[in-house]
Amino acid sequence: MNFFVDTSVWSLALRRDCPVAAPEVEFLKNVLVTGAPVFTTGLVLQELLQGFAGPKDPGAIAERFSPLPFIVPNREDHIAAADLRNACRRAGFHIATIDALLAALCIARALVILTTDTDFARIAELQPLSVWRP
């Protein structure tokens, strides 16, 4: 099984101020130890780097991400994301543009998304998105 880890989980996993015992973080640790493929994309890395303030070292975060396979969205991914976002809107709920793109990347590449963001569970009700559940 191949995984895509959302910013919400990475943020919890990389916190230095207090340990987080969320099931998603524990699962991520296990996945990384077993060597299962974990994918990322520029948007996740950018969101993480933007979220750090003060003395935390963004270079260390970028370095930790360097071994992960990196997905670069193409034209079809952006079209699929727009279609997905429109389908959600027609179903009566709003999702962020970034979440639509991340979901589209996961669907197109058959990746299971590891997230704490409940919007992805709502997307999975309409689209063939696989969301990890504890």
Side-chain angles (χ1 to χ4, degrees):
M1 195 172 295
N2 296 328
F3 297 94
F4 183 94
V5 182
D6 181 40
T7 308
S8 62
V9 176
W10 284 118
S11 293
L12 293 173
L14 296 173
R15 287 181 67 163
R16 293 184 201 178
D17 53 351
C18 66
V20 177
E24 294 84 2
V25 172
E26 294 305 315
F27 185 76
L28 173 59
K29 289 178 186 176
N30 290 334
V31 166
L32 292 171
V33 167
T34 63
V38 174
F39 291 81
T40 194
T41 192
L43 290 170
V44 171
L45 180 57
Q46 181 179 340
E47 284 183 322
L48 284 172
L49 294 174
Q50 290 171 173
F52 284 102
K56 296 181 181 175
D57 182 10
I61 299 300
E63 181 64 29
R64 284 185 176 185
F65 270 65
S66 65
L68 299 179
F70 206 81
I71 300 170
V72 178
N74 59 37
R75 180 184 310 257
E76 290 77 23
D77 294 321
H78 289 283
I79 292 168
D83 290 344
L84 189 149
R85 192 165 188 263
N86 290 337
C88 290
R89 189 177 62 235
R90 284 190 301 274
F93 63 94
H94 171 80
I95 60 169
T97 298
I98 290 175
D99 290 351
L101 181 58
L102 298 181
L105 293 174
C106 291
I107 292 167
R109 291 155 181 83
L111 302 173
V112 176
I113 190 164
L114 182 59
T115 184
T116 61
D117 184 338
T118 58
D119 284 346
F120 290 102
R122 295 189 76 189
I123 295 168
E125 294 172 6
L126 297 174
Q127 302 286 323
L129 176 64
S130 296
V131 179
W132 182 85
R133 289 176 176 52

